[in-house]
Amino acid sequence: MALFKPRERLDIDPFTDLLFNALLTFTFLFLIALLLMNPTAKTGIINPKAEFMITVSWPDHSPDDIDTWVEGPKGQLIWFKRPQEGLMHLDRDDRGRVNDMQLIDGKEIVNPLNQEIVSIRGRPAGEFIVNIHYYRSQTLQAIPVTVYLAEVNPTLKVLHYATTTLQREGEERTAVRFSITPQGQVTAINTLQKSLVLGGKI
């Protein structure tokens, strides 16, 4: 007489085992595919194709037109009639309320932002001069204009940030000047005045 009863063998179907393993494999591959399709978002990272960016802004909803003028190391100029010269680009020309109305899905949308953007897509040695010009006034009032100069490559670095008040239509002011050394370093940031619109000293 046996002391222990032998265990009964479980009748395992090899086909069921194969299906179970296939299901596990499919689930694993599906999860990997989801991870690859939805990578972790990197917020706050901007990679503009530029070395420096100049932003000129004035109060939202203002109908007044402020223009940005930039002179490069060799005397080349960019402004709204010549938006590109060498490595300097006027990426956005803002005319106050002109062209601020857009039709989207049958609805009129107003963009209140008044802003012009200039990018410098290299580091040529020499001095850059950034001027602001009160091109046209509809309010006939003084207007504060903020100029923001930033080095964006390899990391963002604010070089200059200041607000200048233009008192009347036609007034021009030098907002900032800076120089780039042959080694690519920024030096001599100042606001020594020079006219670019009319030529000569302001």
Side-chain angles (χ1 to χ4, degrees):
M1 180 178 176
L3 295 176
F4 301 100
K5 290 184 179 180
R7 290 185 179 179
E8 295 181 2
R9 289 187 178 181
L10 295 175
D11 190 12
I12 299 175
D13 184 4
F15 183 71
T16 303
D17 192 36
L18 180 64
L19 283 179
F20 180 72
N21 288 332
L23 180 62
L24 283 178
T25 303
F26 176 78
T27 304
F28 178 72
L29 293 175
F30 180 73
L31 290 175
I32 290 179
L34 280 179
L35 291 174
L36 292 176
M37 286 188 297
N38 296 303
T40 304
K42 296 181 179 180
T43 59
I45 296 179
I46 302 173
N47 294 312
K49 301 296 183 182
E51 296 292 324
F52 302 93
M53 294 194 75
I54 302 160
T55 303
V56 176
S57 57
W58 58 102
D60 294 350
H61 299 287
S62 172
D64 299 329
D65 186 359
I66 305 297
D67 283 337
T68 305
W69 290 62
V70 181
E71 181 182 84
K74 296 181 179 179
Q76 64 272 44
L77 283 173
I78 63 166
W79 52 305
F80 70 88
K81 287 190 177 179
R82 191 180 184 90
Q84 180 178 342
E85 183 66 46
L87 298 173
M88 303 186 302
H89 299 257
L90 177 60
D91 297 323
R92 185 173 191 269
D93 175 39
D94 197 305
R95 299 169 60 193
R97 285 184 184 163
V98 177
N99 298 329
D100 278 357
M101 188 78 69
Q102 298 178 8
L103 193 64
I104 301 176
D105 294 332
K107 295 181 180 180
E108 289 186 344
I109 305 296
V110 177
N111 176 17
L113 185 66
N114 286 319
Q115 186 180 77
E116 296 199 346
I117 299 172
V118 173
S119 61
I120 302 173
R121 301 174 186 178
R123 292 177 180 263
E127 185 182 40
F128 290 83
I129 303 173
V130 181
N131 278 20
I132 50 177
H133 178 228
Y134 202 157
Y135 181 73
R136 182 170 288 114
S137 175
Q138 292 189 29
T139 62
L140 303 179
Q141 295 179 357
I143 189 164
V145 182
T146 299
V147 176
Y148 170 89
L149 168 65
E151 185 176 6
V152 295
N153 190 20
T155 58
L156 180 65
K157 180 181 179 182
V158 178
L159 301 175
H160 178 82
Y161 183 88
T163 299
T164 302
T165 299
L166 298 178
Q167 300 293 336
R168 62 191 179 281
E169 182 177 305
E171 184 177 1
E172 175 191 7
R173 301 292 294 172
T174 296
V176 64
R177 300 168 73 150
F178 65 99
S179 296
I180 301 176
T181 67
Q183 294 75 34
Q185 302 300 314
V186 178
T187 62
I189 298 175
N190 66 88
T191 57
L192 182 64
Q193 298 296 299
K194 176 184 176 181
S195 175
L196 302 180
V197 179
L198 302 175
K201 296 289 183 181
I202 295 175

Coordinates of all heavy atoms in Angstrom, one line a residue, residues 8 17 25 30 41 46 62 72 74 90 103 108 116-117 138 142 148 150-152 161 184 194-195:
E8 N -1.9 13.7 -9.9 CA -2.5 13.5 -11.2 C -1.9 14.5 -12.2 O -1.7 15.7 -11.8 CB -4.0 13.8 -11.1 CG -4.8 12.8 -10.3 CD -6.3 13.0 -10.3 OE1 -6.7 14.0 -11.0 OE2 -7.0 12.3 -9.6
D17 N -0.9 26.9 -24.7 CA 0.4 27.5 -24.2 C 1.0 28.4 -25.2 O 1.5 29.5 -24.9 CB 1.3 26.3 -23.8 CG 2.5 26.8 -23.0 OD1 2.3 27.8 -22.2 OD2 3.6 26.3 -23.2
T25 N 3.8 38.3 -26.0 CA 4.7 38.9 -26.9 C 4.1 40.1 -27.6 O 4.7 41.2 -27.7 CB 5.2 37.9 -27.9 OG1 5.8 36.8 -27.2 CG2 6.3 38.6 -28.8
F30 N 3.4 46.0 -28.3 CA 2.4 47.1 -28.3 C 2.8 48.2 -27.4 O 2.8 49.4 -27.7 CB 1.0 46.6 -28.1 CG 0.0 47.6 -28.1 CD1 -0.4 48.2 -29.3 CD2 -0.6 48.1 -26.9 CE1 -1.4 49.1 -29.4 CE2 -1.5 49.1 -27.0 CZ -2.0 49.6 -28.2
A41 N 7.6 64.8 -23.6 CA 7.7 66.1 -24.1 C 8.8 66.9 -23.4 O 8.8 66.9 -22.2 CB 6.3 66.8 -24.0
I46 N 13.5 75.8 -27.2 CA 13.4 76.4 -28.5 C 14.7 76.3 -29.2 O 15.8 76.7 -28.6 CB 12.9 77.8 -28.4 CG1 11.6 77.9 -27.6 CG2 12.8 78.5 -29.7 CD1 11.1 79.3 -27.3
S62 N -2.1 98.9 -29.9 CA -1.8 100.2 -30.4 C -1.8 100.2 -31.9 O -1.2 99.4 -32.6 CB -0.4 100.6 -29.9 OG 0.1 101.8 -30.5
G72 N 24.7 96.4 -39.8 CA 25.7 95.3 -39.5 C 27.1 95.9 -39.6 O 27.3 97.1 -39.8
K74 N 29.5 95.8 -41.7 CA 30.0 96.4 -42.9 C 29.1 97.5 -43.4 O 29.2 97.9 -44.6 CB 30.2 95.3 -44.0 CG 31.2 94.3 -43.6 CD 31.3 93.2 -44.8 CE 32.4 92.2 -44.4 NZ 32.6 91.2 -45.5
L90 N 15.0 90.4 -40.9 CA 13.8 90.9 -40.2 C 12.7 89.9 -40.4 O 12.0 89.8 -41.4 CB 13.4 92.2 -40.8 CG 12.1 92.9 -40.3 CD1 12.2 93.2 -38.8 CD2 11.7 94.2 -41.0
L103 N -9.0 85.9 -40.6 CA -10.3 85.1 -40.7 C -9.9 83.7 -40.5 O -9.2 83.1 -41.3 CB -10.9 85.4 -42.1 CG -12.4 84.9 -42.2 CD1 -13.3 85.7 -41.3 CD2 -12.8 85.1 -43.6
E108 N -13.6 86.3 -37.3 CA -12.5 87.3 -37.3 C -11.8 87.3 -36.0 O -12.4 87.5 -34.9 CB -13.1 88.7 -37.6 CG -13.6 88.9 -39.0 CD -14.0 90.4 -39.3 OE1 -14.2 91.1 -38.3 OE2 -14.1 90.7 -40.5
E116 N 8.2 93.3 -33.4 CA 9.0 93.0 -34.6 C 10.2 92.1 -34.1 O 10.7 92.3 -33.0 CB 9.5 94.2 -35.2 CG 8.4 95.1 -35.8 CD 8.8 96.1 -36.9 OE1 10.1 96.4 -36.9 OE2 8.0 96.6 -37.6
I117 N 10.6 91.2 -34.9 CA 11.7 90.3 -34.6 C 12.8 90.3 -35.6 O 12.5 90.1 -36.8 CB 11.1 88.8 -34.4 CG1 10.1 88.8 -33.3 CG2 12.3 87.9 -34.1 CD1 9.4 87.5 -33.1
Q138 N -1.0 107.2 -35.1 CA -2.4 107.5 -35.2 C -2.9 108.1 -33.9 O -3.9 108.8 -33.9 CB -3.2 106.2 -35.6 CG -2.9 105.7 -37.0 CD -3.8 104.6 -37.4 OE1 -4.9 104.5 -36.9 NE2 -3.3 103.7 -38.2
A142 N 3.1 109.9 -27.2 CA 4.3 109.2 -26.9 C 4.1 107.7 -26.7 O 3.0 107.3 -26.2 CB 5.0 109.8 -25.7
Y148 N 14.6 94.0 -26.7 CA 15.2 92.8 -26.0 C 16.2 92.1 -26.9 O 15.9 91.8 -28.0 CB 14.0 91.8 -25.7 CG 14.4 90.5 -25.1 CD1 14.5 90.2 -23.8 CD2 14.5 89.4 -26.0 CE1 14.8 89.0 -23.3 CE2 14.7 88.1 -25.5 CZ 14.9 87.9 -24.2 OH 15.2 86.7 -23.7
A150 N 19.0 89.1 -27.2 CA 19.4 87.8 -26.5 C 20.3 87.0 -27.4 O 20.2 87.0 -28.6 CB 18.1 87.0 -26.2
E151 N 21.3 86.4 -26.8 CA 22.1 85.4 -27.4 C 21.4 84.0 -27.2 O 21.1 83.7 -26.1 CB 23.5 85.4 -26.8 CG 24.5 84.5 -27.4 CD 25.9 84.6 -26.8 OE1 26.0 85.3 -25.8 OE2 26.8 84.0 -27.3
V152 N 21.1 83.3 -28.3 CA 20.3 82.1 -28.2 C 21.1 80.8 -28.4 O 20.5 79.7 -28.3 CB 19.1 82.2 -29.1 CG1 18.2 83.3 -28.7 CG2 19.5 82.3 -30.6
Y161 N 18.0 94.6 -22.1 CA 16.6 94.7 -22.0 C 16.3 96.1 -21.5 O 16.7 96.4 -20.4 CB 16.0 93.6 -21.1 CG 14.5 93.6 -21.0 CD1 13.7 92.9 -21.9 CD2 13.9 94.4 -20.0 CE1 12.4 92.9 -21.8 CE2 12.5 94.4 -19.9 CZ 11.7 93.6 -20.8 OH 10.4 93.6 -20.7
G184 N 34.1 85.5 -31.5 CA 32.6 85.3 -31.4 C 32.1 85.8 -30.0 O 30.9 85.5 -29.8
K194 N 23.1 107.0 -32.9 CA 23.5 107.1 -34.3 C 22.3 107.0 -35.2 O 21.5 106.0 -35.0 CB 24.6 106.1 -34.7 CG 24.9 106.2 -36.2 CD 25.9 105.1 -36.6 CE 26.2 105.2 -38.1 NZ 27.1 104.1 -38.6
S195 N 22.0 107.9 -36.1 CA 20.9 107.8 -37.0 C 21.1 106.8 -38.1 O 22.2 106.8 -38.7 CB 20.5 109.1 -37.5 OG 19.4 109.0 -38.5

